[in-house]
Amino acid sequence: MSGVSDFVVVANRLPVDRTDTGWGTSPGGLVAALAPVLRARSGSWVGWPGEAGARIEPFTSEGIDLHPVYLDECDFQNFYEGMANSTLWPLYHDLIVAPRYDNLWWEAYRDVNERFAHATAAAAARNAVVWVQDYQLQLVPGILRRLRPDLTVGFFLHIPFPSPDLFRQLPWRNEVMEGFAGADLVGFQRAEDERNYRALVGDAGPRTGAFPISIDPAAIPRGGQGDVEKLRASLGNPVTMMLGVDRLDYTKGILHRLLAVENLLEKGLLSDVAVVQLAIPSRERIDQYKQTRREVEEAVGRINGRFGRVGSPVVHYLHRAVPKRDLGALYTAADVMLVTPFKDGMNLVAKEYVSCHPDGDGALVLSEFAGAAAELRDAYLCNPFDVSSIEQAIIDAVAGDPARMRAMHRWVAQHDVARWAACFLDEL
Ligand code: GDG
């Protein structure tokens, strides 16, 4: 065995993106949390480099050995867009849209998981620790158990684990359970996810735990006073600035929060408000994502048509990502943050917003169905399936109590992503 690394992270994506001159580290929380561990333990990362059909040799980026896994266009369609994001994603988010069950997708999923497991086995030294991430790679722990019984394998699920009744719909449920069973430790975001899983396996199966993921507070710089003033001036100095930041995904409840704002405007319960909504393009070739985009953009147009004025729309909508620095300024400037998913494993945006508000200003409207709601109890909680509940939470948030934001800020400052990674790895 020509293994080299004592610690291997396995994730769908490598933590790098192609730049004009080579590769640059992509600024995710996971890489921020794991980079110190990876460097200290001669670690490596196994994942897809983000280019279908490109064979890329292993390389090193910022002190981390990267092992690219090859996916062709067909794998991308059947494994990633198909099984991962049109079957597992909707099933695990409680059927907000109907999952499709397709044998061809399943076979691609199995093949790609095999490929990831073999690449991992080749990268891992004897008795190495391997940490597999997320729903795209649920079979990898089971395959590794067979290939390399010497390894210690952890698995973390970033998205919710559904109730047993829903999970049992999956035609390949036994194979997925065998995949989990190959791990020494399976981590979930919330105790509820862990309970759902345990209800299926009883006392059998691997050790489990709830490890709520968090953020690297340093990665999102707060906006300075000048930036914030400039930003608010560019919005026409509204009395109230609200903000939404999401991947454009049907799980995030973007339309419903816009409907709540529209209702409040109509009833005259909200005035002089500017809403900034960033919708980061995501999984754009999947029909349900196209439909979600159409619905959101139609609502933005309608609301601005009804309540905007020339030169000052109500909703400022961007369908693109912005640099982290701009994101920090938006978080800092916003009086009310709107986080209204129908279901979300955690939701890091909620924690990033809180992290930008150490002094008690700002208020968070948060769905009960986001994992973050288990920790951020001082948010203005709402049920996103009930638009009037979002309306009420917005009204309460506008009159927000600074003590609540300060309490949440203390919590997030103490429970960062480094602590999350350390908790999981210590347990492993
Ligand atoms: C999955 C689970 C779980 C957003 N807009 C921009 C931008 N972002 C960054 C945010 C944040 C991240 O993207 C989004 O993370 P979330 O947690 O909110 O949501 P998912 O993408 O659905 O993540 C989720 C997470 O995994 C981790 O376990 O919390 O429940 O669904 O960090 O800052 N970054 C930049 N520009 C943008 O415009 N640079």
Side-chain angles (χ1 to χ4, degrees), residues 303-319:
I303 295 169
N304 286 337
R306 293 184 67 195
F307 301 102
R309 279 175 294 117
V310 173
S312 64
V314 176
V315 185
H316 300 250
Y317 169 79
L318 298 186
H319 182 241

Side-chain angles (χ1 to χ4, degrees), residues 48-60:
W48 181 53
E51 294 173 3
R55 294 205 183 266
I56 298 164
E57 289 302 309
F59 61 102
T60 301

Side-chain angles (χ1 to χ4, degrees), residues 133-180:
Q133 311 287 327
D134 226 1
Y135 65 104
Q136 302 93 349
L137 302 176
Q138 294 173 119
L139 308 184
V140 169
I143 304 167
L144 281 176
R145 182 60 59 219
R146 201 177 72 225
L147 291 176
R148 290 287 304 275
D150 59 299
L151 301 175
T152 299
V153 180
F155 178 77
F156 185 78
L157 187 68
H158 289 255
I159 69 174
F161 192 89
S163 79
D165 263 359
L166 294 184
F167 184 78
R168 279 195 279 260
Q169 288 192 5
L170 187 66
W172 313 282
R173 60 197 186 184
N174 294 335
E175 289 88 338
V176 169
M177 282 292 105
E178 283 162 25
F180 275 62

Side-chain angles (χ1 to χ4, degrees), residues 91-94 157 159-168 177 180 186 188 190-202 208 210 343:
L91 178 64
Y92 285 25
H93 287 86
D94 293 357
L157 187 68
I159 69 174
F161 192 89
S163 79
D165 263 359
L166 294 184
F167 184 78
R168 279 195 279 260
M177 282 292 105
F180 275 62
V186 176
F188 299 93
R190 299 167 311 161
E192 194 184 318
D193 302 310
E194 185 188 8
R195 273 198 300 277
N196 285 342
Y197 173 75
R198 290 245 71 102
L200 286 166
V201 296
T208 55
K343 191 86 185 178

Side-chain angles (χ1 to χ4, degrees), residues 61-288:
S61 173
E62 299 188 20
I64 304 170
D65 289 337
L66 304 178
H67 297 265
V69 174
Y70 176 81
L71 295 189
D72 64 21
E73 178 56 34
C74 205
D75 296 323
F76 183 75
Q77 281 174 27
N78 295 323
F79 154 76
Y80 182 77
E81 294 184 318
M83 185 69 194
N85 288 315
S86 300
T87 305
L88 296 169
W89 179 269
L91 178 64
Y92 285 25
H93 287 86
D94 293 357
L95 318 185
I96 298 162
V97 306
R100 250 184 72 191
Y101 302 116
D102 182 324
N103 243 308
L104 193 75
W105 292 354
W106 163 251
E107 280 163 21
Y109 185 83
R110 224 182 31 206
D111 287 356
V112 170
N113 272 250
E114 285 276 348
R115 219 174 294 161
F116 271 83
H118 279 91
T120 308
R126 180 160 292 281
N127 298 325
V129 171
V130 173
W131 193 1
V132 182
Q133 311 287 327
D134 226 1
Y135 65 104
Q136 302 93 349
L137 302 176
Q138 294 173 119
L139 308 184
V140 169
I143 304 167
L144 281 176
R145 182 60 59 219
R146 201 177 72 225
L147 291 176
R148 290 287 304 275
D150 59 299
L151 301 175
T152 299
V153 180
F155 178 77
F156 185 78
L157 187 68
H158 289 255
I159 69 174
F161 192 89
S163 79
D165 263 359
L166 294 184
F167 184 78
R168 279 195 279 260
Q169 288 192 5
L170 187 66
W172 313 282
R173 60 197 186 184
N174 294 335
E175 289 88 338
V176 169
M177 282 292 105
E178 283 162 25
F180 275 62
D184 296 282
L185 174 65
V186 176
F188 299 93
Q189 299 275 25
R190 299 167 311 161
E192 194 184 318
D193 302 310
E194 185 188 8
R195 273 198 300 277
N196 285 342
Y197 173 75
R198 290 245 71 102
L200 286 166
V201 296
D203 291 332
R207 272 184 314 140
T208 55
F211 303 89
I213 199 169
S214 192
I215 59 161
D216 171 18
I220 309 276
R222 296 187 60 213
Q225 200 188 339
D227 295 335
V228 168
E229 279 169 11
K230 227 169 87 190
L231 182 59
R232 291 191 69 119
S234 74
L235 298 172
N237 285 319
V239 170
T240 308
M241 173 185 164
M242 299 194 194
L243 175 65
V245 175
D246 313 77
R247 270 188 311 100
L248 184 39
D249 191 299
Y250 51 77
T251 59
K252 302 289 184 183
I254 302 170
L255 173 64
H256 290 68
R257 85 179 60 133
L258 292 174
L259 294 178
V261 169
E262 184 175 21
N263 288 347
L264 290 173
L265 288 166
E266 187 172 279
K267 294 176 199 162
L269 294 173
L270 206 59
S271 59
D272 205 354
V273 60
V275 179
V276 176
Q277 175 67 57
L278 301 190
I280 291 72
S282 182
R283 307 173 192 167
E284 289 191 275
R285 300 198 304 194
I286 299 175
D287 280 344
Q288 290 134 337

